[in-house]
Amino acid sequence: MSSAVRVCFVCLGNICRSPTAEGVFRHLVADAGLTDSFEIDSAGTASYHTGDAPDVRARAAGERAGITVNGKARQFLASDFTRFDYVIAMDFSNQANLRRLAPDHEAATKVRLLRSFDPAAAVNAPIPDPYYGDEAGFDDVLELCRVACHHLLAGIRAKHGL
Ligand code: 4NP
């Protein structure tokens, strides 16, 4: 649908945080009965994991929380700035890399940190990279994504009259 709001979540590898945020956001959008009003995707700033499924620990954390975490990793491209209205970075480094890739000022303004939508989060608060940590880190990521995505969806609904 051409009037859909198009949202892409972006981390480094597209196997842990951004597919988790994508799954959480899809779940919240479906619960709100708004699936047809959105196009939702995720990508990584790096290409190391292109083609890979989400990390097994991210999928397991999703299962524990009733969230489907799936997809196939891909790298975020400069051309994606024309495909998406919201480019949602997981941490400051992702945000900086995305802004550097942005072809113009308008594209750069589409890039926002996920936790910037959470009114309780500190300025520049990240979704921390769980890759080199333990299972609990993946549960923490999921919970941070759940809170921030709730506020992101509320903000988009208000802005777009959904
Ligand atoms: P993600 O986590 O950015 O949340 O998908 C990572 C995945 C892979 C690597 C780092 C972070 N890596 O170094 O391969």
mmCIF file of all heavy atoms in Angstrom, residues 137-157:
data_model
loop_
_atom_site.group_PDB
_atom_site.id
_atom_site.type_symbol
_atom_site.label_atom_id
_atom_site.label_comp_id
_atom_site.label_asym_id
_atom_site.label_seq_id
_atom_site.Cartn_x
_atom_site.Cartn_y
_atom_site.Cartn_z
ATOM 1 N N GLY A 137 21.336 -11.095 28.331
ATOM 2 C CA GLY A 137 21.458 -9.874 27.551
ATOM 3 C C GLY A 137 20.418 -9.800 26.442
ATOM 4 O O GLY A 137 19.957 -8.716 26.077
ATOM 5 N N PHE A 138 20.052 -10.966 25.924
ATOM 6 C CA PHE A 138 19.046 -11.003 24.852
ATOM 7 C C PHE A 138 17.646 -10.734 25.405
ATOM 8 O O PHE A 138 16.822 -10.122 24.730
ATOM 9 C CB PHE A 138 19.118 -12.338 24.102
ATOM 10 C CG PHE A 138 20.313 -12.429 23.200
ATOM 11 C CD1 PHE A 138 21.576 -12.735 23.705
ATOM 12 C CD2 PHE A 138 20.197 -12.167 21.843
ATOM 13 C CE1 PHE A 138 22.681 -12.792 22.887
ATOM 14 C CE2 PHE A 138 21.301 -12.216 21.004
ATOM 15 C CZ PHE A 138 22.550 -12.523 21.533
ATOM 16 N N ASP A 139 17.399 -11.204 26.639
ATOM 17 C CA ASP A 139 16.112 -10.865 27.282
ATOM 18 C C ASP A 139 16.057 -9.362 27.560
ATOM 19 O O ASP A 139 15.001 -8.735 27.410
ATOM 20 C CB ASP A 139 15.940 -11.645 28.590
ATOM 21 C CG ASP A 139 15.767 -13.141 28.359
ATOM 22 O OD1 ASP A 139 15.056 -13.524 27.409
ATOM 23 O OD2 ASP A 139 16.344 -13.924 29.132
ATOM 24 N N ASP A 140 17.190 -8.790 27.968
ATOM 25 C CA ASP A 140 17.233 -7.339 28.227
ATOM 26 C C ASP A 140 16.962 -6.558 26.943
ATOM 27 O O ASP A 140 16.202 -5.580 26.952
ATOM 28 C CB ASP A 140 18.610 -6.923 28.782
ATOM 29 C CG ASP A 140 18.878 -7.495 30.159
ATOM 30 O OD1 ASP A 140 17.920 -7.948 30.823
ATOM 31 O OD2 ASP A 140 20.057 -7.504 30.567
ATOM 32 N N VAL A 141 17.585 -6.991 25.858
ATOM 33 C CA VAL A 141 17.363 -6.330 24.557
ATOM 34 C C VAL A 141 15.884 -6.371 24.209
ATOM 35 O O VAL A 141 15.290 -5.357 23.795
ATOM 36 C CB VAL A 141 18.207 -7.016 23.449
ATOM 37 C CG1 VAL A 141 17.690 -6.663 22.052
ATOM 38 C CG2 VAL A 141 19.674 -6.632 23.590
ATOM 39 N N LEU A 142 15.278 -7.542 24.387
ATOM 40 C CA LEU A 142 13.869 -7.667 24.019
ATOM 41 C C LEU A 142 13.000 -6.716 24.832
ATOM 42 O O LEU A 142 12.109 -6.048 24.296
ATOM 43 C CB LEU A 142 13.404 -9.117 24.183
ATOM 44 C CG LEU A 142 12.085 -9.313 23.446
ATOM 45 C CD1 LEU A 142 12.138 -10.507 22.522
ATOM 46 C CD2 LEU A 142 10.939 -9.407 24.396
ATOM 47 N N GLU A 143 13.282 -6.630 26.129
ATOM 48 C CA GLU A 143 12.464 -5.764 26.986
ATOM 49 C C GLU A 143 12.667 -4.281 26.634
ATOM 50 O O GLU A 143 11.703 -3.510 26.580
ATOM 51 C CB GLU A 143 12.788 -6.035 28.464
ATOM 52 C CG GLU A 143 11.847 -5.371 29.439
ATOM 53 C CD GLU A 143 10.353 -5.617 29.165
ATOM 54 O OE1 GLU A 143 10.002 -6.690 28.631
ATOM 55 O OE2 GLU A 143 9.549 -4.719 29.448
ATOM 56 N N LEU A 144 13.912 -3.879 26.377
ATOM 57 C CA LEU A 144 14.167 -2.486 25.969
ATOM 58 C C LEU A 144 13.477 -2.185 24.641
ATOM 59 O O LEU A 144 12.921 -1.089 24.451
ATOM 60 C CB LEU A 144 15.678 -2.232 25.849
ATOM 61 C CG LEU A 144 16.466 -2.254 27.153
ATOM 62 C CD1 LEU A 144 17.971 -2.209 26.874
ATOM 63 C CD2 LEU A 144 16.055 -1.108 28.077
ATOM 64 N N CYS A 145 13.498 -3.142 23.734
ATOM 65 C CA CYS A 145 12.817 -2.954 22.433
ATOM 66 C C CYS A 145 11.311 -2.839 22.642
ATOM 67 O O CYS A 145 10.646 -2.023 21.988
ATOM 68 C CB CYS A 145 13.115 -4.116 21.494
ATOM 69 S SG CYS A 145 14.771 -4.101 20.811
ATOM 70 N N ARG A 146 10.788 -3.649 23.548
ATOM 71 C CA ARG A 146 9.340 -3.625 23.775
ATOM 72 C C ARG A 146 8.887 -2.242 24.274
ATOM 73 O O ARG A 146 7.921 -1.669 23.770
ATOM 74 C CB ARG A 146 8.966 -4.694 24.820
ATOM 75 C CG ARG A 146 7.481 -4.984 24.852
ATOM 76 C CD ARG A 146 7.104 -5.673 26.136
ATOM 77 N NE ARG A 146 7.516 -7.048 26.243
ATOM 78 C CZ ARG A 146 6.854 -8.072 25.685
ATOM 79 N NH1 ARG A 146 5.809 -7.859 24.928
ATOM 80 N NH2 ARG A 146 7.262 -9.306 25.880
ATOM 81 N N VAL A 147 9.600 -1.704 25.231
ATOM 82 C CA VAL A 147 9.230 -0.395 25.790
ATOM 83 C C VAL A 147 9.373 0.692 24.730
ATOM 84 O O VAL A 147 8.462 1.499 24.506
ATOM 85 C CB VAL A 147 10.097 -0.076 27.034
ATOM 86 C CG1 VAL A 147 9.855 1.347 27.500
ATOM 87 C CG2 VAL A 147 9.812 -1.077 28.155
ATOM 88 N N ALA A 148 10.524 0.720 24.060
ATOM 89 C CA ALA A 148 10.773 1.790 23.092
ATOM 90 C C ALA A 148 9.834 1.672 21.890
ATOM 91 O O ALA A 148 9.350 2.694 21.376
ATOM 92 C CB ALA A 148 12.231 1.761 22.637
ATOM 93 N N CYS A 149 9.570 0.443 21.439
ATOM 94 C CA CYS A 149 8.677 0.258 20.278
ATOM 95 C C CYS A 149 7.248 0.659 20.619
ATOM 96 O O CYS A 149 6.515 1.149 19.749
ATOM 97 C CB CYS A 149 8.717 -1.181 19.780
ATOM 98 S SG CYS A 149 10.178 -1.563 18.794
ATOM 99 N N HIS A 150 6.859 0.457 21.862
ATOM 100 C CA HIS A 150 5.530 0.920 22.294
ATOM 101 C C HIS A 150 5.418 2.436 22.085
ATOM 102 O O HIS A 150 4.430 2.929 21.524
ATOM 103 C CB HIS A 150 5.323 0.541 23.768
ATOM 104 C CG HIS A 150 4.184 1.251 24.417
ATOM 105 N ND1 HIS A 150 2.877 0.826 24.274
ATOM 106 C CD2 HIS A 150 4.137 2.367 25.180
ATOM 107 C CE1 HIS A 150 2.086 1.666 24.921
ATOM 108 N NE2 HIS A 150 2.821 2.601 25.492
ATOM 109 N N HIS A 151 6.452 3.164 22.493
ATOM 110 C CA HIS A 151 6.431 4.628 22.344
ATOM 111 C C HIS A 151 6.595 5.038 20.881
ATOM 112 O O HIS A 151 5.985 6.020 20.439
ATOM 113 C CB HIS A 151 7.514 5.259 23.212
ATOM 114 C CG HIS A 151 7.229 5.126 24.677
ATOM 115 N ND1 HIS A 151 6.233 5.839 25.311
ATOM 116 C CD2 HIS A 151 7.787 4.344 25.632
ATOM 117 C CE1 HIS A 151 6.194 5.495 26.592
ATOM 118 N NE2 HIS A 151 7.128 4.604 26.810
ATOM 119 N N LEU A 152 7.430 4.311 20.146
ATOM 120 C CA LEU A 152 7.583 4.606 18.718
ATOM 121 C C LEU A 152 6.237 4.474 18.006
ATOM 122 O O LEU A 152 5.843 5.357 17.226
ATOM 123 C CB LEU A 152 8.608 3.639 18.094
ATOM 124 C CG LEU A 152 8.731 3.679 16.572
ATOM 125 C CD1 LEU A 152 9.225 5.035 16.082
ATOM 126 C CD2 LEU A 152 9.673 2.567 16.084
ATOM 127 N N LEU A 153 5.528 3.386 18.279
ATOM 128 C CA LEU A 153 4.237 3.178 17.623
ATOM 129 C C LEU A 153 3.243 4.274 18.023
ATOM 130 O O LEU A 153 2.530 4.811 17.160
ATOM 131 C CB LEU A 153 3.682 1.787 17.966
ATOM 132 C CG LEU A 153 2.304 1.467 17.366
ATOM 133 C CD1 LEU A 153 2.303 1.602 15.842
ATOM 134 C CD2 LEU A 153 1.869 0.055 17.778
ATOM 135 N N ALA A 154 3.234 4.612 19.296
ATOM 136 C CA ALA A 154 2.314 5.677 19.742
ATOM 137 C C ALA A 154 2.633 6.987 19.029
ATOM 138 O O ALA A 154 1.732 7.714 18.593
ATOM 139 C CB ALA A 154 2.413 5.846 21.258
ATOM 140 N N GLY A 155 3.919 7.289 18.886
ATOM 141 C CA GLY A 155 4.324 8.530 18.214
ATOM 142 C C GLY A 155 3.931 8.534 16.747
ATOM 143 O O GLY A 155 3.437 9.542 16.229
ATOM 144 N N ILE A 156 4.141 7.404 16.070
ATOM 145 C CA ILE A 156 3.781 7.320 14.645
ATOM 146 C C ILE A 156 2.263 7.412 14.480
ATOM 147 O O ILE A 156 1.768 8.093 13.580
ATOM 148 C CB ILE A 156 4.336 6.013 14.025
ATOM 149 C CG1 ILE A 156 5.861 6.073 13.924
ATOM 150 C CG2 ILE A 156 3.714 5.763 12.653
ATOM 151 C CD1 ILE A 156 6.522 4.795 13.418
ATOM 152 N N ARG A 157 1.534 6.739 15.355
ATOM 153 C CA ARG A 157 0.059 6.791 15.257
ATOM 154 C C ARG A 157 -0.431 8.232 15.397
ATOM 155 O O ARG A 157 -1.321 8.671 14.662
ATOM 156 C CB ARG A 157 -0.581 5.912 16.329
ATOM 157 C CG ARG A 157 -0.375 4.446 16.079
ATOM 158 C CD ARG A 157 -1.091 3.590 17.092
ATOM 159 N NE ARG A 157 -2.539 3.618 16.861
ATOM 160 C CZ ARG A 157 -3.394 2.794 17.442
ATOM 161 N NH1 ARG A 157 -2.974 1.884 18.315
ATOM 162 N NH2 ARG A 157 -4.680 2.866 17.170
#
